[in-house]
Amino acid sequence: MPGNSGILRAIPLYVWVLFGLAAGILWGWLALHYGWTEFSERWVIPWGTLFLRLLQMMAVPIILVSLIKGVGTLEDLRSLSRVGSLTFTYYLGTTALAITIGLTLGTWFQPGKLFSEAQRIEFQHKYAEQVSTKLAQAQAQNRSPLQVLVEMVPPNPFDAFTENRRMLQVIVFAILLGMGLVAIPRSKRMPVLQVIEGLEEALLWLVQKILWLAPPGVFGLMVQIMIDTGGKNLQDTLVALGAYAGTVILGLCVMLLLVYPVLVGVLTGGYPLRFLRSILPAQLVAFSTSSSAATLPVSLRIARTRLNISDSVSGFVLPLGATINMDGTALYQGVATLFIAQAMNIDLTLTQKLEVLLMAVLASVGAAAIPGAGMIMLLVILQSVGIAPEGIALILAVDRPLDMLRTTVNVTSDLTAATLVHHFVHRRKGSHAQNLSDYRSRPERLTR
Ligand code: ASP
């Protein structure tokens, strides 16, 4: 991205991306005030769409090859169960913790009680149409909680490859195929893995080139968000929904600045601040795309080049996490459920809150790693505790900025998982984390 000149190359990618982000907000604001929206839609926004499509293009192939390789290169099925059980324990534990934080903050601050009745009716009316569309999608997708399990299995994997929304099915197929590779004799497994490795390398090379487009891409995406939300309108609504948004943001910040750094610091002995700094590019891409799937190629690259996480761990933990581990989404769903209930004068009992917790774990597994997916799954949670799903109209207006932040949390959680699993797997192996000691003693590797 930073062209050929030395000065440009010396500026790290994330600075360029930050610059694109700020410039996009400024341009969007100017476009709204000086009537440049048509020009922006024709000449600026397509750069954002192009960047997003390029990243999305990489999602299915990367998930497929990195998971097959991640599972296939494990020594035996016992190592798979070790990596797998560590990963699932982390995913389940942090997701449950995130919803608990969301429910606690929502109960403390009671943001829903701050709405006047007139406001509630206005919001419901304004978003009635969008709600029915989202509702129809949710009803079509989820009839029973077990439906999530049923839909994890693709009746035809090639069919699943054609749709980014069906990433979980691609993952299930890739894990099963990887297990098959581990089970067959080494002489037959190795040629397949070599092909897969070559493919993976080529895909990651491509990602590196695509990232050159990140600054204009993020610029275009921010202009689009500003124009879509009307800029000023977004600001007004944010003030009205400030308490709700503030509660979600507070919870997400607790995860981002406290839970993950403490986990990394305490469990691996690494430096939490360095960890956060090294994953910043992935966080920025997550923030601007609102899609864990679109961010996956960047997360994989960071895990391998900056965090020195082994290919087998990052190739298994990150694609799986991008699809099923959504702490930020779960936390948001906890606060949103309480907020809507409070706004409608419904007091949820402890049992109902526990039900929300369980449903949010399932919903975050089932939610696609794309913008707005968490909101669709929120409808399922609302219905399960008997809250009119139309209440979602109350939060639609601020959903996009919160989606940006919760996706950042989702991606941070995946990278934390990869760091912890790598640490424990290598420590137990006895080979200990040669990589990890690199990670602690050679900080410059983290700031590349
Ligand atoms: N956009 C989120 C993600 O991709 C999912 C969501 O909460 O809507 O991780």
Side-chain angles (χ1 to χ4, degrees):
M1 175 261 342
N4 289 326
S5 104
I7 299 175
L8 293 184
R9 230 185 259 178
I11 302 174
L13 176 69
Y14 73 87
V15 175
W16 286 98
V17 179
L18 266 180
F19 179 73
L21 197 109
I25 293 174
L26 183 67
W27 181 286
W29 186 84
L30 290 171
L32 285 164
H33 281 78
Y34 295 103
W36 306 343
T37 46
E38 209 188 306
F39 174 84
S40 305
E41 273 158 9
R42 285 170 69 102
W43 294 102
V44 179
I45 292 175
W47 290 104
T49 318
L50 178 70
F51 176 60
L52 194 58
R53 286 178 79 132
L54 282 167
L55 285 176
Q56 284 170 331
M57 173 183 87
M58 305 303 290
V60 168
I62 284 192
I63 282 187
L64 204 59
V65 296
S66 56
L67 263 180
I68 295 174
K69 189 186 142 198
V71 178
T73 49
L74 291 169
E75 286 149 37
D76 48 37
L77 288 174
R78 271 183 54 211
S79 344
L80 170 63
S81 75
R82 195 163 60 222
V83 174
S85 53
L86 277 172
T87 309
F88 280 107
T89 308
Y90 171 92
Y91 286 164
L92 222 65
T94 53
T95 306
L97 177 69
I99 312 161
T100 311
I101 291 175
L103 289 174
T104 310
L105 292 178
T107 311
W108 274 352
F109 295 120
Q110 308 221 321
K113 299 253 160 105
L114 298 177
F115 265 126
S116 73
E117 208 183 326
Q119 272 175 313
R120 275 179 259 156
I121 292 167
E122 193 194 313
F123 278 127
Q124 264 175 313
H125 185 70
K126 189 171 168 191
Y127 293 107
E129 208 175 291
Q130 289 184 42
V131 166
S132 48
T133 320
K134 300 260 181 213
L135 194 60
Q137 283 172 4
Q139 279 169 347
Q141 280 179 6
N142 296 281
R143 274 179 211 106
S144 121
L146 285 182
Q147 195 65 15
V148 174
L149 202 67
V150 173
E151 284 175 7
M152 278 164 67
V153 181
N156 176 352
F158 292 95
D159 207 19
F161 299 160
T162 62
E163 225 192 310
N164 275 6
R165 280 169 189 274
R166 292 165 65 183
M167 217 63 93
L168 195 56
Q169 298 188 344
V170 177
I171 285 189
V172 168
F173 174 73
I175 291 179
L176 294 177
L177 190 57
M179 284 170 75
L181 281 174
V182 176
I184 62 175
R186 205 181 138 78
S187 58
K188 292 190 176 147
R189 182 195 336 166
M190 290 324 278
V192 182
L193 283 178
Q194 264 174 356
V195 173
I196 301 263
E197 258 175 38
L199 270 175
E200 192 189 34
E201 243 171 71
L203 287 168
L204 292 178
W205 175 87
L206 209 53
V207 168
Q208 208 181 338
K209 303 297 164 210
I210 290 173
L211 286 182
W212 287 6
L213 261 183
V218 168
F219 175 72
L221 286 170
M222 289 317 292
V223 173
Q224 182 172 20
I225 290 170
M226 288 296 286
I227 290 177
D228 284 354
T229 54
K232 191 169 165 290
N233 193 2
L234 170 76
Q235 205 180 332
D236 289 350
T237 320
L238 272 176
V239 173
L241 296 175
Y244 158 72
T247 311
V248 177
I249 291 169
L250 179 68
L252 294 176
C253 286
V254 168
M255 295 300 292
L256 212 54
L257 303 174
L258 201 73
V259 175
Y260 304 125
V262 165
L263 281 175
V264 169
V266 171
L267 296 179
T268 74
Y271 295 112
L273 281 182
R274 261 181 216 147
F275 168 75
L276 285 181
R277 203 166 70 185
S278 52
I279 66 169
L280 189 62
Q283 291 179 320
L284 287 174
V285 174
F287 187 77
S288 53
T289 59
S290 287
S291 166
S292 306
T295 314
L296 180 62
V298 187
S299 306
L300 275 170
R301 215 177 108 70
I302 284 176
R304 288 165 193 187
T305 59
R306 294 183 166 203
L307 300 175
N308 300 325
I309 292 169
S310 65
D311 287 7
S312 60
V313 168
S314 57
F316 176 78
V317 176
L318 292 175
L320 190 67
T323 307
I324 70 164
N325 180 45
M326 296 196 182
D327 297 352
T329 303
L331 188 146
Y332 138 86
Q333 286 168 336
V335 179
T337 307
L338 283 188
F339 174 73
I340 294 168
Q342 288 157 0
M344 294 180 166
N345 288 325
I346 301 170
D347 278 326
L348 293 183
T349 61
L350 187 64
T351 322
Q352 279 174 311
K353 285 183 188 169
L354 284 176
E355 205 176 325
V356 172
L357 196 146
L358 262 178
M359 285 300 296
V361 173
L362 271 184
S364 70
V365 170
I370 53 168
M375 189 164 59
I376 295 173
M377 300 308 279
L378 177 63
L379 290 164
V380 183
I381 299 176
L382 290 178
Q383 281 174 311
S384 76
V385 285
I387 299 171
E390 283 75 14
I392 206 170
L394 299 174
I395 57 158
L396 271 176
V398 290
D399 200 69
R400 181 64 194 214
L402 294 182
D403 194 1
M404 294 159 84
L405 199 57
R406 66 185 190 245
T407 308
T408 309
V409 171
N410 293 343
V411 167
T412 306
S413 178
D414 298 340
L415 282 160
T416 306
T419 306
L420 298 187
V421 172
H422 174 91
H423 176 72
F424 285 115
V425 166
H426 287 263
R427 198 179 62 171
R428 277 211 212 165
K429 263 188 185 166
S431 68
H432 192 47
Q434 196 179 338
N435 291 337
L436 201 71
S437 55
D438 282 357
Y439 160 61
R440 288 197 293 257
S441 60
R442 280 194 278 153
E444 74 276 13
R445 300 200 67 163
L446 299 174
T447 52
R448 262 203 308 247

